Every structure is written in C-alpha cells, then in structure tokens.
Amino acid sequence: MIESNRNIELENRIEEYLDGKLSPQEVDELWAELIDNEYYLDYMKSVASLKQIGEERQKKSEEVRKEPVQRVWLSAAAAVVLMIGSAILFSLSTETSEMIKPVSTIELDYYRSADGMATESVESDVVRRAISTANTGEVGAALSLLNHELERANSEIEQAELLITSGSILYNSGQFSEAIERFENAKNLNYDDVMLRERNYWYLGNAYFQVNQIAEAKDMLEKAFEMNGAYSRVAQSYLRALSSR
C-alpha cells in the first residue's frame, strides 16, 4: 500500500467543507490550498458526488419508512405484503449500485503552478495550450497538439502525462473507447509519479464503466483503491456499488 501521497488532514477538511462545518475563513484557506492542487480538486468533486448520492438514498429510504402500514389479517394478504416488503428492501440494497455512475467529465483546468514544479518544461506548456484549446471546443486541434508533442517526448513520465491529458479530452467528448486506449498506454509505461498513476487508474476505471465493461472497471478501480491515495475511499465506494453487477 502506498501512503506517501495521501494528505489525511486535507481530506478531512474537504469533507468538513462539504458538510458545511468550516467557517468562512477556513473555507477561504481551503480554496487557497486547493487552487494549485489538481489532485485534490478532483478528489473533492468525487466525494461531493458520492455525498449527493447518499443524501438522495437516505431521502428515499425515509419516504419508504413514512408509508402508512396497514394491519392485514388474512394469511394470503399477509404473504403479498411480505413479498412487497422484500421487494422494497431489495430495491434499497441495490439502489447505490444503480445510482452510482461514472464521472461525467474529467477536470481539464491546469492548476499546477510554476512554484509546484522544479522547472517549467515545454511539455507542461503544451498541456496547458491543449487544455485551453479543448475548453473552447476544438478537440481535434487539442489532440493534434498533444500527439505532436508525444512523438517528441523523451521520458516515459512525459509520455504518460500527454496520454492521460489526451485521454481526458477524449473522455469528455464522449469518445470513451479512444480514451481507454490512451489510458491503457499510459498505464503500461514505467514512471514513478504515484499520484499520476493513481489518477490514471481512476480515469481508466470510469472509462470502462462508461462502456459497461464492468469487470475491467472493477480491476482498475481496485488498483486505484490499493494505492491508498486520494482516490482510495471513492474507489472503494464504487467497488462496493459495482459488486452486485
């Protein structure tokens, strides 16, 4: 299990923020920290999505519990009531599986600052330009920029970031099979950036989920979970929901 990339204190503050427990000053301090942290911005979006699902599930469960229960004396009628009750319980037990869906979009804003990097590389500039281009709707042009730079990349970590960025752009444009190919290529590269690798597993799991390849999605989400980083808890929630599929 890899724990060096995990910031437990920041994760707790994100959850407190989503629960409305932070003061205005604490909220400002949290956003100041997150604005340069692409990794935990993605994490916050995922946790927020799961909290919304949980709230919807609880609301529906409470509505079921408030239904008036009539006393039925005939054995046949009682059996029918028991069958209906069992159906409701089954529906509630599988509700999370039905409600959890792959992420609709992958965050494309490039938040990493120059202060967070040892050097300002040509590759990072290309990634920023490609993301900016994709955000204006010019997906083809953005992919061309990344493909051109990919042919020139000298290291596997540069190749990985270019592949993951292009895969994210393809994912957001609904080209999930093409995105899977990019993420798979990045997965097979040899590089030491734990956070980048974990993010790729998370994206790849969601891409497989989008095309209903559930076994493959589970495999990638399991890998994200096992890395014990920022996506560990949200990946575990997805795995639990998908276990019945």
mmCIF file with all atom_site columns, all heavy atoms in Angstrom, residues 6 28-30 38 52-53 62 74 93 105 116 123 125-126 128 136 150 163 168 174 180 186 191-192 194 196 220 227:
data_model
loop_
_atom_site.group_PDB
_atom_site.id
_atom_site.type_symbol
_atom_site.label_atom_id
_atom_site.label_alt_id
_atom_site.label_comp_id
_atom_site.label_asym_id
_atom_site.label_entity_id
_atom_site.label_seq_id
_atom_site.pdbx_PDB_ins_code
_atom_site.Cartn_x
_atom_site.Cartn_y
_atom_site.Cartn_z
_atom_site.occupancy
_atom_site.B_iso_or_equiv
_atom_site.pdbx_formal_charge
_atom_site.auth_seq_id
_atom_site.auth_comp_id
_atom_site.auth_asym_id
_atom_site.auth_atom_id
_atom_site.pdbx_PDB_model_num
ATOM 1   N N   . ARG A 1 6   ? -0.692  10.664  0.307   1.00 0.00 ? 6   ARG A N   1
ATOM 2   C CA  . ARG A 1 6   ? -2.005  10.948  0.875   1.00 0.00 ? 6   ARG A CA  1
ATOM 3   C C   . ARG A 1 6   ? -1.921  12.006  1.954   1.00 0.00 ? 6   ARG A C   1
ATOM 4   O O   . ARG A 1 6   ? -1.078  11.945  2.842   1.00 0.00 ? 6   ARG A O   1
ATOM 5   C CB  . ARG A 1 6   ? -2.602  9.652   1.432   1.00 0.00 ? 6   ARG A CB  1
ATOM 6   C CG  . ARG A 1 6   ? -4.034  9.820   1.872   1.00 0.00 ? 6   ARG A CG  1
ATOM 7   C CD  . ARG A 1 6   ? -4.662  8.484   2.156   1.00 0.00 ? 6   ARG A CD  1
ATOM 8   N NE  . ARG A 1 6   ? -6.045  8.644   2.557   1.00 0.00 ? 6   ARG A NE  1
ATOM 9   C CZ  . ARG A 1 6   ? -6.828  7.638   2.935   1.00 0.00 ? 6   ARG A CZ  1
ATOM 10  N NH1 . ARG A 1 6   ? -6.360  6.415   2.941   1.00 0.00 ? 6   ARG A NH1 1
ATOM 11  N NH2 . ARG A 1 6   ? -8.078  7.872   3.293   1.00 0.00 ? 6   ARG A NH2 1
ATOM 12  N N   . ASP A 1 28  ? -11.989 29.886  2.851   1.00 0.00 ? 28  ASP A N   1
ATOM 13  C CA  . ASP A 1 28  ? -11.038 30.646  2.020   1.00 0.00 ? 28  ASP A CA  1
ATOM 14  C C   . ASP A 1 28  ? -9.657  29.992  2.050   1.00 0.00 ? 28  ASP A C   1
ATOM 15  O O   . ASP A 1 28  ? -8.977  29.896  1.017   1.00 0.00 ? 28  ASP A O   1
ATOM 16  C CB  . ASP A 1 28  ? -10.939 32.090  2.517   1.00 0.00 ? 28  ASP A CB  1
ATOM 17  C CG  . ASP A 1 28  ? -12.192 32.887  2.210   1.00 0.00 ? 28  ASP A CG  1
ATOM 18  O OD1 . ASP A 1 28  ? -12.982 32.448  1.353   1.00 0.00 ? 28  ASP A OD1 1
ATOM 19  O OD2 . ASP A 1 28  ? -12.389 33.955  2.832   1.00 0.00 ? 28  ASP A OD2 1
ATOM 20  N N   . GLU A 1 29  ? -9.238  29.564  3.223   1.00 0.00 ? 29  GLU A N   1
ATOM 21  C CA  . GLU A 1 29  ? -7.925  28.927  3.346   1.00 0.00 ? 29  GLU A CA  1
ATOM 22  C C   . GLU A 1 29  ? -7.879  27.613  2.589   1.00 0.00 ? 29  GLU A C   1
ATOM 23  O O   . GLU A 1 29  ? -6.874  27.283  1.948   1.00 0.00 ? 29  GLU A O   1
ATOM 24  C CB  . GLU A 1 29  ? -7.603  28.691  4.826   1.00 0.00 ? 29  GLU A CB  1
ATOM 25  C CG  . GLU A 1 29  ? -7.352  29.979  5.605   1.00 0.00 ? 29  GLU A CG  1
ATOM 26  C CD  . GLU A 1 29  ? -7.241  29.735  7.102   1.00 0.00 ? 29  GLU A CD  1
ATOM 27  O OE1 . GLU A 1 29  ? -7.492  28.581  7.544   1.00 0.00 ? 29  GLU A OE1 1
ATOM 28  O OE2 . GLU A 1 29  ? -6.911  30.689  7.836   1.00 0.00 ? 29  GLU A OE2 1
ATOM 29  N N   . LEU A 1 30  ? -8.977  26.861  2.639   1.00 0.00 ? 30  LEU A N   1
ATOM 30  C CA  . LEU A 1 30  ? -9.027  25.587  1.917   1.00 0.00 ? 30  LEU A CA  1
ATOM 31  C C   . LEU A 1 30  ? -8.928  25.803  0.417   1.00 0.00 ? 30  LEU A C   1
ATOM 32  O O   . LEU A 1 30  ? -8.155  25.131  -0.282  1.00 0.00 ? 30  LEU A O   1
ATOM 33  C CB  . LEU A 1 30  ? -10.330 24.848  2.255   1.00 0.00 ? 30  LEU A CB  1
ATOM 34  C CG  . LEU A 1 30  ? -10.567 23.548  1.483   1.00 0.00 ? 30  LEU A CG  1
ATOM 35  C CD1 . LEU A 1 30  ? -9.484  22.525  1.804   1.00 0.00 ? 30  LEU A CD1 1
ATOM 36  C CD2 . LEU A 1 30  ? -11.951 22.985  1.799   1.00 0.00 ? 30  LEU A CD2 1
ATOM 37  N N   . GLU A 1 38  ? -4.456  20.072  -8.311  1.00 0.00 ? 38  GLU A N   1
ATOM 38  C CA  . GLU A 1 38  ? -5.375  19.406  -9.229  1.00 0.00 ? 38  GLU A CA  1
ATOM 39  C C   . GLU A 1 38  ? -5.844  18.063  -8.684  1.00 0.00 ? 38  GLU A C   1
ATOM 40  O O   . GLU A 1 38  ? -6.991  17.653  -8.848  1.00 0.00 ? 38  GLU A O   1
ATOM 41  C CB  . GLU A 1 38  ? -4.677  19.205  -10.578 1.00 0.00 ? 38  GLU A CB  1
ATOM 42  C CG  . GLU A 1 38  ? -5.512  18.506  -11.636 1.00 0.00 ? 38  GLU A CG  1
ATOM 43  C CD  . GLU A 1 38  ? -4.716  18.257  -12.901 1.00 0.00 ? 38  GLU A CD  1
ATOM 44  O OE1 . GLU A 1 38  ? -3.497  18.503  -12.902 1.00 0.00 ? 38  GLU A OE1 1
ATOM 45  O OE2 . GLU A 1 38  ? -5.326  17.817  -13.885 1.00 0.00 ? 38  GLU A OE2 1
ATOM 46  N N   . GLN A 1 52  ? -23.900 13.412  -2.475  1.00 0.00 ? 52  GLN A N   1
ATOM 47  C CA  . GLN A 1 52  ? -25.213 13.704  -3.045  1.00 0.00 ? 52  GLN A CA  1
ATOM 48  C C   . GLN A 1 52  ? -26.006 12.419  -3.253  1.00 0.00 ? 52  GLN A C   1
ATOM 49  O O   . GLN A 1 52  ? -27.198 12.345  -2.950  1.00 0.00 ? 52  GLN A O   1
ATOM 50  C CB  . GLN A 1 52  ? -25.058 14.430  -4.377  1.00 0.00 ? 52  GLN A CB  1
ATOM 51  C CG  . GLN A 1 52  ? -26.400 14.807  -5.012  1.00 0.00 ? 52  GLN A CG  1
ATOM 52  C CD  . GLN A 1 52  ? -26.226 15.534  -6.323  1.00 0.00 ? 52  GLN A CD  1
ATOM 53  O OE1 . GLN A 1 52  ? -25.117 15.667  -6.840  1.00 0.00 ? 52  GLN A OE1 1
ATOM 54  N NE2 . GLN A 1 52  ? -27.318 16.006  -6.883  1.00 0.00 ? 52  GLN A NE2 1
ATOM 55  N N   . ILE A 1 53  ? -25.319 11.377  -3.728  1.00 0.00 ? 53  ILE A N   1
ATOM 56  C CA  . ILE A 1 53  ? -25.976 10.081  -3.912  1.00 0.00 ? 53  ILE A CA  1
ATOM 57  C C   . ILE A 1 53  ? -26.475 9.547   -2.572  1.00 0.00 ? 53  ILE A C   1
ATOM 58  O O   . ILE A 1 53  ? -27.598 9.057   -2.451  1.00 0.00 ? 53  ILE A O   1
ATOM 59  C CB  . ILE A 1 53  ? -25.005 9.084   -4.569  1.00 0.00 ? 53  ILE A CB  1
ATOM 60  C CG1 . ILE A 1 53  ? -24.776 9.470   -6.036  1.00 0.00 ? 53  ILE A CG1 1
ATOM 61  C CG2 . ILE A 1 53  ? -25.547 7.652   -4.485  1.00 0.00 ? 53  ILE A CG2 1
ATOM 62  C CD1 . ILE A 1 53  ? -23.663 8.690   -6.698  1.00 0.00 ? 53  ILE A CD1 1
ATOM 63  N N   . GLU A 1 62  ? -36.229 7.304   3.810   1.00 0.00 ? 62  GLU A N   1
ATOM 64  C CA  . GLU A 1 62  ? -37.126 7.911   4.786   1.00 0.00 ? 62  GLU A CA  1
ATOM 65  C C   . GLU A 1 62  ? -38.550 7.973   4.252   1.00 0.00 ? 62  GLU A C   1
ATOM 66  O O   . GLU A 1 62  ? -39.517 7.785   4.990   1.00 0.00 ? 62  GLU A O   1
ATOM 67  C CB  . GLU A 1 62  ? -36.629 9.305   5.151   1.00 0.00 ? 62  GLU A CB  1
ATOM 68  C CG  . GLU A 1 62  ? -35.348 9.284   5.978   1.00 0.00 ? 62  GLU A CG  1
ATOM 69  C CD  . GLU A 1 62  ? -34.772 10.666  6.183   1.00 0.00 ? 62  GLU A CD  1
ATOM 70  O OE1 . GLU A 1 62  ? -35.302 11.617  5.572   1.00 0.00 ? 62  GLU A OE1 1
ATOM 71  O OE2 . GLU A 1 62  ? -33.805 10.794  6.953   1.00 0.00 ? 62  GLU A OE2 1
ATOM 72  N N   . LEU A 1 74  ? -55.674 -11.536 6.864   1.00 0.00 ? 74  LEU A N   1
ATOM 73  C CA  . LEU A 1 74  ? -55.765 -12.742 6.056   1.00 0.00 ? 74  LEU A CA  1
ATOM 74  C C   . LEU A 1 74  ? -54.378 -13.218 5.682   1.00 0.00 ? 74  LEU A C   1
ATOM 75  O O   . LEU A 1 74  ? -53.517 -12.435 5.294   1.00 0.00 ? 74  LEU A O   1
ATOM 76  C CB  . LEU A 1 74  ? -56.589 -12.474 4.781   1.00 0.00 ? 74  LEU A CB  1
ATOM 77  C CG  . LEU A 1 74  ? -58.068 -12.128 5.015   1.00 0.00 ? 74  LEU A CG  1
ATOM 78  C CD1 . LEU A 1 74  ? -58.749 -11.788 3.708   1.00 0.00 ? 74  LEU A CD1 1
ATOM 79  C CD2 . LEU A 1 74  ? -58.775 -13.297 5.694   1.00 0.00 ? 74  LEU A CD2 1
ATOM 80  N N   . SER A 1 93  ? -31.337 -2.091  -1.159  1.00 0.00 ? 93  SER A N   1
ATOM 81  C CA  . SER A 1 93  ? -29.997 -2.659  -1.067  1.00 0.00 ? 93  SER A CA  1
ATOM 82  C C   . SER A 1 93  ? -29.216 -2.498  -2.356  1.00 0.00 ? 93  SER A C   1
ATOM 83  O O   . SER A 1 93  ? -27.991 -2.503  -2.355  1.00 0.00 ? 93  SER A O   1
ATOM 84  C CB  . SER A 1 93  ? -30.091 -4.143  -0.708  1.00 0.00 ? 93  SER A CB  1
ATOM 85  O OG  . SER A 1 93  ? -30.663 -4.876  -1.769  1.00 0.00 ? 93  SER A OG  1
ATOM 86  N N   . THR A 1 105 ? -17.516 14.140  -16.421 1.00 0.00 ? 105 THR A N   1
ATOM 87  C CA  . THR A 1 105 ? -16.395 14.826  -17.075 1.00 0.00 ? 105 THR A CA  1
ATOM 88  C C   . THR A 1 105 ? -15.159 14.717  -16.199 1.00 0.00 ? 105 THR A C   1
ATOM 89  O O   . THR A 1 105 ? -15.252 14.531  -14.992 1.00 0.00 ? 105 THR A O   1
ATOM 90  C CB  . THR A 1 105 ? -16.689 16.321  -17.321 1.00 0.00 ? 105 THR A CB  1
ATOM 91  O OG1 . THR A 1 105 ? -16.975 16.952  -16.073 1.00 0.00 ? 105 THR A OG1 1
ATOM 92  C CG2 . THR A 1 105 ? -17.846 16.517  -18.282 1.00 0.00 ? 105 THR A CG2 1
ATOM 93  N N   . GLY A 1 116 ? 5.069   24.859  -8.113  1.00 0.00 ? 116 GLY A N   1
ATOM 94  C CA  . GLY A 1 116 ? 4.950   23.459  -7.774  1.00 0.00 ? 116 GLY A CA  1
ATOM 95  C C   . GLY A 1 116 ? 5.789   22.561  -8.653  1.00 0.00 ? 116 GLY A C   1
ATOM 96  O O   . GLY A 1 116 ? 5.726   21.341  -8.540  1.00 0.00 ? 116 GLY A O   1
ATOM 97  N N   . GLU A 1 123 ? 6.812   20.598  -22.322 1.00 0.00 ? 123 GLU A N   1
ATOM 98  C CA  . GLU A 1 123 ? 5.681   19.677  -22.266 1.00 0.00 ? 123 GLU A CA  1
ATOM 99  C C   . GLU A 1 123 ? 4.530   20.265  -21.469 1.00 0.00 ? 123 GLU A C   1
ATOM 100 O O   . GLU A 1 123 ? 3.373   20.179  -21.878 1.00 0.00 ? 123 GLU A O   1
ATOM 101 C CB  . GLU A 1 123 ? 6.159   18.354  -21.673 1.00 0.00 ? 123 GLU A CB  1
ATOM 102 C CG  . GLU A 1 123 ? 5.061   17.330  -21.438 1.00 0.00 ? 123 GLU A CG  1
ATOM 103 C CD  . GLU A 1 123 ? 4.451   17.462  -20.076 1.00 0.00 ? 123 GLU A CD  1
ATOM 104 O OE1 . GLU A 1 123 ? 5.162   17.800  -19.126 1.00 0.00 ? 123 GLU A OE1 1
ATOM 105 O OE2 . GLU A 1 123 ? 3.230   17.254  -19.971 1.00 0.00 ? 123 GLU A OE2 1
ATOM 106 N N   . ASP A 1 125 ? 3.798   23.374  -20.989 1.00 0.00 ? 125 ASP A N   1
ATOM 107 C CA  . ASP A 1 125 ? 3.212   24.460  -21.766 1.00 0.00 ? 125 ASP A CA  1
ATOM 108 C C   . ASP A 1 125 ? 2.286   23.900  -22.836 1.00 0.00 ? 125 ASP A C   1
ATOM 109 O O   . ASP A 1 125 ? 1.199   24.442  -23.072 1.00 0.00 ? 125 ASP A O   1
ATOM 110 C CB  . ASP A 1 125 ? 4.327   25.297  -22.409 1.00 0.00 ? 125 ASP A CB  1
ATOM 111 C CG  . ASP A 1 125 ? 3.767   26.459  -23.223 1.00 0.00 ? 125 ASP A CG  1
ATOM 112 O OD1 . ASP A 1 125 ? 3.069   27.305  -22.640 1.00 0.00 ? 125 ASP A OD1 1
ATOM 113 O OD2 . ASP A 1 125 ? 4.012   26.491  -24.445 1.00 0.00 ? 125 ASP A OD2 1
ATOM 114 N N   . VAL A 1 126 ? 2.683   22.805  -23.470 1.00 0.00 ? 126 VAL A N   1
ATOM 115 C CA  . VAL A 1 126 ? 1.845   22.169  -24.486 1.00 0.00 ? 126 VAL A CA  1
ATOM 116 C C   . VAL A 1 126 ? 0.562   21.642  -23.855 1.00 0.00 ? 126 VAL A C   1
ATOM 117 O O   . VAL A 1 126 ? -0.526  21.794  -24.420 1.00 0.00 ? 126 VAL A O   1
ATOM 118 C CB  . VAL A 1 126 ? 2.616   21.023  -25.187 1.00 0.00 ? 126 VAL A CB  1
ATOM 119 C CG1 . VAL A 1 126 ? 1.671   20.204  -26.061 1.00 0.00 ? 126 VAL A CG1 1
ATOM 120 C CG2 . VAL A 1 126 ? 3.750   21.582  -26.023 1.00 0.00 ? 126 VAL A CG2 1
ATOM 121 N N   . ARG A 1 128 ? -0.949  22.796  -21.202 1.00 0.00 ? 128 ARG A N   1
ATOM 122 C CA  . ARG A 1 128 ? -1.818  23.944  -20.906 1.00 0.00 ? 128 ARG A CA  1
ATOM 123 C C   . ARG A 1 128 ? -2.503  24.455  -22.171 1.00 0.00 ? 128 ARG A C   1
ATOM 124 O O   . ARG A 1 128 ? -3.699  24.756  -22.158 1.00 0.00 ? 128 ARG A O   1
ATOM 125 C CB  . ARG A 1 128 ? -1.003  25.064  -20.248 1.00 0.00 ? 128 ARG A CB  1
ATOM 126 C CG  . ARG A 1 128 ? -0.874  24.916  -18.742 1.00 0.00 ? 128 ARG A CG  1
ATOM 127 C CD  . ARG A 1 128 ? -0.393  26.219  -18.110 1.00 0.00 ? 128 ARG A CD  1
ATOM 128 N NE  . ARG A 1 128 ? 1.011   26.450  -18.444 1.00 0.00 ? 128 ARG A NE  1
ATOM 129 C CZ  . ARG A 1 128 ? 2.023   26.060  -17.694 1.00 0.00 ? 128 ARG A CZ  1
ATOM 130 N NH1 . ARG A 1 128 ? 1.790   25.374  -16.595 1.00 0.00 ? 128 ARG A NH1 1
ATOM 131 N NH2 . ARG A 1 128 ? 3.267   26.312  -18.032 1.00 0.00 ? 128 ARG A NH2 1
ATOM 132 N N   . THR A 1 136 ? -12.318 25.308  -25.443 1.00 0.00 ? 136 THR A N   1
ATOM 133 C CA  . THR A 1 136 ? -13.065 26.136  -26.400 1.00 0.00 ? 136 THR A CA  1
ATOM 134 C C   . THR A 1 136 ? -13.836 25.284  -27.395 1.00 0.00 ? 136 THR A C   1
ATOM 135 O O   . THR A 1 136 ? -14.479 25.806  -28.294 1.00 0.00 ? 136 THR A O   1
ATOM 136 C CB  . THR A 1 136 ? -12.113 27.070  -27.175 1.00 0.00 ? 136 THR A CB  1
ATOM 137 O OG1 . THR A 1 136 ? -11.230 26.280  -28.000 1.00 0.00 ? 136 THR A OG1 1
ATOM 138 C CG2 . THR A 1 136 ? -11.297 27.937  -26.228 1.00 0.00 ? 136 THR A CG2 1
ATOM 139 N N   . LEU A 1 150 ? 3.793   14.192  -28.204 1.00 0.00 ? 150 LEU A N   1
ATOM 140 C CA  . LEU A 1 150 ? 4.025   12.813  -27.784 1.00 0.00 ? 150 LEU A CA  1
ATOM 141 C C   . LEU A 1 150 ? 5.127   12.163  -28.625 1.00 0.00 ? 150 LEU A C   1
ATOM 142 O O   . LEU A 1 150 ? 5.925   11.369  -28.113 1.00 0.00 ? 150 LEU A O   1
ATOM 143 C CB  . LEU A 1 150 ? 2.731   12.016  -27.903 1.00 0.00 ? 150 LEU A CB  1
ATOM 144 C CG  . LEU A 1 150 ? 2.719   10.589  -27.338 1.00 0.00 ? 150 LEU A CG  1
ATOM 145 C CD1 . LEU A 1 150 ? 3.050   10.588  -25.845 1.00 0.00 ? 150 LEU A CD1 1
ATOM 146 C CD2 . LEU A 1 150 ? 1.357   9.943   -27.579 1.00 0.00 ? 150 LEU A CD2 1
ATOM 147 N N   . LEU A 1 163 ? -0.482  11.337  -22.630 1.00 0.00 ? 163 LEU A N   1
ATOM 148 C CA  . LEU A 1 163 ? -1.515  10.336  -22.910 1.00 0.00 ? 163 LEU A CA  1
ATOM 149 C C   . LEU A 1 163 ? -2.726  10.511  -22.002 1.00 0.00 ? 163 LEU A C   1
ATOM 150 O O   . LEU A 1 163 ? -3.877  10.408  -22.456 1.00 0.00 ? 163 LEU A O   1
ATOM 151 C CB  . LEU A 1 163 ? -0.930  8.931   -22.734 1.00 0.00 ? 163 LEU A CB  1
ATOM 152 C CG  . LEU A 1 163 ? 0.007   8.451   -23.843 1.00 0.00 ? 163 LEU A CG  1
ATOM 153 C CD1 . LEU A 1 163 ? 0.770   7.208   -23.392 1.00 0.00 ? 163 LEU A CD1 1
ATOM 154 C CD2 . LEU A 1 163 ? -0.771  8.153   -25.125 1.00 0.00 ? 163 LEU A CD2 1
ATOM 155 N N   . SER A 1 168 ? -8.208  12.215  -21.292 1.00 0.00 ? 168 SER A N   1
ATOM 156 C CA  . SER A 1 168 ? -9.229  13.005  -20.589 1.00 0.00 ? 168 SER A CA  1
ATOM 157 C C   . SER A 1 168 ? -10.051 13.833  -21.564 1.00 0.00 ? 168 SER A C   1
ATOM 158 O O   . SER A 1 168 ? -11.272 13.952  -21.423 1.00 0.00 ? 168 SER A O   1
ATOM 159 C CB  . SER A 1 168 ? -8.557  13.918  -19.563 1.00 0.00 ? 168 SER A CB  1
ATOM 160 O OG  . SER A 1 168 ? -7.818  13.167  -18.620 1.00 0.00 ? 168 SER A OG  1
ATOM 161 N N   . GLY A 1 174 ? -16.924 12.230  -25.131 1.00 0.00 ? 174 GLY A N   1
ATOM 162 C CA  . GLY A 1 174 ? -17.738 11.037  -25.316 1.00 0.00 ? 174 GLY A CA  1
ATOM 163 C C   . GLY A 1 174 ? -17.072 9.929   -26.101 1.00 0.00 ? 174 GLY A C   1
ATOM 164 O O   . GLY A 1 174 ? -17.707 8.925   -26.425 1.00 0.00 ? 174 GLY A O   1
ATOM 165 N N   . ILE A 1 180 ? -9.958  5.049   -23.474 1.00 0.00 ? 180 ILE A N   1
ATOM 166 C CA  . ILE A 1 180 ? -9.431  3.824   -22.847 1.00 0.00 ? 180 ILE A CA  1
ATOM 167 C C   . ILE A 1 180 ? -8.083  3.463   -23.442 1.00 0.00 ? 180 ILE A C   1
ATOM 168 O O   . ILE A 1 180 ? -7.146  3.095   -22.715 1.00 0.00 ? 180 ILE A O   1
ATOM 169 C CB  . ILE A 1 180 ? -10.434 2.671   -23.017 1.00 0.00 ? 180 ILE A CB  1
ATOM 170 C CG1 . ILE A 1 180 ? -11.640 2.883   -22.102 1.00 0.00 ? 180 ILE A CG1 1
ATOM 171 C CG2 . ILE A 1 180 ? -9.772  1.322   -22.723 1.00 0.00 ? 180 ILE A CG2 1
ATOM 172 C CD1 . ILE A 1 180 ? -12.786 1.926   -22.346 1.00 0.00 ? 180 ILE A CD1 1
ATOM 173 N N   . ALA A 1 186 ? -0.851  4.699   -21.167 1.00 0.00 ? 186 ALA A N   1
ATOM 174 C CA  . ALA A 1 186 ? -0.182  5.367   -20.045 1.00 0.00 ? 186 ALA A CA  1
ATOM 175 C C   . ALA A 1 186 ? 0.065   4.388   -18.911 1.00 0.00 ? 186 ALA A C   1
ATOM 176 O O   . ALA A 1 186 ? 1.111   4.424   -18.250 1.00 0.00 ? 186 ALA A O   1
ATOM 177 C CB  . ALA A 1 186 ? -1.024  6.548   -19.560 1.00 0.00 ? 186 ALA A CB  1
ATOM 178 N N   . TYR A 1 191 ? 6.993   4.745   -14.925 1.00 0.00 ? 191 TYR A N   1
ATOM 179 C CA  . TYR A 1 191 ? 7.310   6.047   -14.328 1.00 0.00 ? 191 TYR A CA  1
ATOM 180 C C   . TYR A 1 191 ? 6.968   5.999   -12.843 1.00 0.00 ? 191 TYR A C   1
ATOM 181 O O   . TYR A 1 191 ? 6.206   5.144   -12.403 1.00 0.00 ? 191 TYR A O   1
ATOM 182 C CB  . TYR A 1 191 ? 6.558   7.187   -15.029 1.00 0.00 ? 191 TYR A CB  1
ATOM 183 C CG  . TYR A 1 191 ? 5.057   7.059   -15.018 1.00 0.00 ? 191 TYR A CG  1
ATOM 184 C CD1 . TYR A 1 191 ? 4.296   7.656   -14.023 1.00 0.00 ? 191 TYR A CD1 1
ATOM 185 C CD2 . TYR A 1 191 ? 4.392   6.349   -16.025 1.00 0.00 ? 191 TYR A CD2 1
ATOM 186 C CE1 . TYR A 1 191 ? 2.913   7.545   -14.019 1.00 0.00 ? 191 TYR A CE1 1
ATOM 187 C CE2 . TYR A 1 191 ? 3.016   6.227   -16.027 1.00 0.00 ? 191 TYR A CE2 1
ATOM 188 C CZ  . TYR A 1 191 ? 2.284   6.831   -15.031 1.00 0.00 ? 191 TYR A CZ  1
ATOM 189 O OH  . TYR A 1 191 ? 0.911   6.716   -15.021 1.00 0.00 ? 191 TYR A OH  1
ATOM 190 N N   . ASP A 1 192 ? 7.542   6.927   -12.074 1.00 0.00 ? 192 ASP A N   1
ATOM 191 C CA  . ASP A 1 192 ? 7.469   6.859   -10.611 1.00 0.00 ? 192 ASP A CA  1
ATOM 192 C C   . ASP A 1 192 ? 6.463   7.819   -9.986  1.00 0.00 ? 192 ASP A C   1
ATOM 193 O O   . ASP A 1 192 ? 6.359   7.860   -8.762  1.00 0.00 ? 192 ASP A O   1
ATOM 194 C CB  . ASP A 1 192 ? 8.854   7.153   -10.005 1.00 0.00 ? 192 ASP A CB  1
ATOM 195 C CG  . ASP A 1 192 ? 9.873   6.083   -10.381 1.00 0.00 ? 192 ASP A CG  1
ATOM 196 O OD1 . ASP A 1 192 ? 9.467   4.921   -10.548 1.00 0.00 ? 192 ASP A OD1 1
ATOM 197 O OD2 . ASP A 1 192 ? 11.065  6.426   -10.519 1.00 0.00 ? 192 ASP A OD2 1
ATOM 198 N N   . VAL A 1 194 ? 3.489   8.591   -8.422  1.00 0.00 ? 194 VAL A N   1
ATOM 199 C CA  . VAL A 1 194 ? 2.409   7.794   -7.832  1.00 0.00 ? 194 VAL A CA  1
ATOM 200 C C   . VAL A 1 194 ? 1.050   8.459   -8.039  1.00 0.00 ? 194 VAL A C   1
ATOM 201 O O   . VAL A 1 194 ? 0.062   7.797   -8.365  1.00 0.00 ? 194 VAL A O   1
ATOM 202 C CB  . VAL A 1 194 ? 2.678   7.581   -6.325  1.00 0.00 ? 194 VAL A CB  1
ATOM 203 C CG1 . VAL A 1 194 ? 1.505   6.877   -5.655  1.00 0.00 ? 194 VAL A CG1 1
ATOM 204 C CG2 . VAL A 1 194 ? 3.955   6.775   -6.137  1.00 0.00 ? 194 VAL A CG2 1
ATOM 205 N N   . LEU A 1 196 ? 0.085   10.542  -10.377 1.00 0.00 ? 196 LEU A N   1
ATOM 206 C CA  . LEU A 1 196 ? -0.315  10.481  -11.781 1.00 0.00 ? 196 LEU A CA  1
ATOM 207 C C   . LEU A 1 196 ? -0.818  9.079   -12.130 1.00 0.00 ? 196 LEU A C   1
ATOM 208 O O   . LEU A 1 196 ? -1.820  8.919   -12.827 1.00 0.00 ? 196 LEU A O   1
ATOM 209 C CB  . LEU A 1 196 ? 0.863   10.863  -12.679 1.00 0.00 ? 196 LEU A CB  1
ATOM 210 C CG  . LEU A 1 196 ? 0.567   11.018  -14.180 1.00 0.00 ? 196 LEU A CG  1
ATOM 211 C CD1 . LEU A 1 196 ? -0.417  12.148  -14.426 1.00 0.00 ? 196 LEU A CD1 1
ATOM 212 C CD2 . LEU A 1 196 ? 1.861   11.269  -14.960 1.00 0.00 ? 196 LEU A CD2 1
ATOM 213 N N   . MET A 1 220 ? -9.538  -1.776  -12.537 1.00 0.00 ? 220 MET A N   1
ATOM 214 C CA  . MET A 1 220 ? -8.819  -0.504  -12.460 1.00 0.00 ? 220 MET A CA  1
ATOM 215 C C   . MET A 1 220 ? -9.156  0.253   -11.181 1.00 0.00 ? 220 MET A C   1
ATOM 216 O O   . MET A 1 220 ? -8.285  0.873   -10.560 1.00 0.00 ? 220 MET A O   1
ATOM 217 C CB  . MET A 1 220 ? -9.149  0.360   -13.685 1.00 0.00 ? 220 MET A CB  1
ATOM 218 C CG  . MET A 1 220 ? -8.616  -0.199  -14.996 1.00 0.00 ? 220 MET A CG  1
ATOM 219 S SD  . MET A 1 220 ? -6.811  -0.445  -14.964 1.00 0.00 ? 220 MET A SD  1
ATOM 220 C CE  . MET A 1 220 ? -6.717  -2.236  -14.792 1.00 0.00 ? 220 MET A CE  1
ATOM 221 N N   . MET A 1 227 ? -3.734  1.723   -4.045  1.00 0.00 ? 227 MET A N   1
ATOM 222 C CA  . MET A 1 227 ? -2.651  2.698   -3.921  1.00 0.00 ? 227 MET A CA  1
ATOM 223 C C   . MET A 1 227 ? -2.817  3.569   -2.685  1.00 0.00 ? 227 MET A C   1
ATOM 224 O O   . MET A 1 227 ? -1.901  4.296   -2.293  1.00 0.00 ? 227 MET A O   1
ATOM 225 C CB  . MET A 1 227 ? -2.554  3.540   -5.189  1.00 0.00 ? 227 MET A CB  1
ATOM 226 C CG  . MET A 1 227 ? -2.178  2.714   -6.414  1.00 0.00 ? 227 MET A CG  1
ATOM 227 S SD  . MET A 1 227 ? -1.711  3.711   -7.845  1.00 0.00 ? 227 MET A SD  1
ATOM 228 C CE  . MET A 1 227 ? -0.053  4.192   -7.355  1.00 0.00 ? 227 MET A CE  1
#
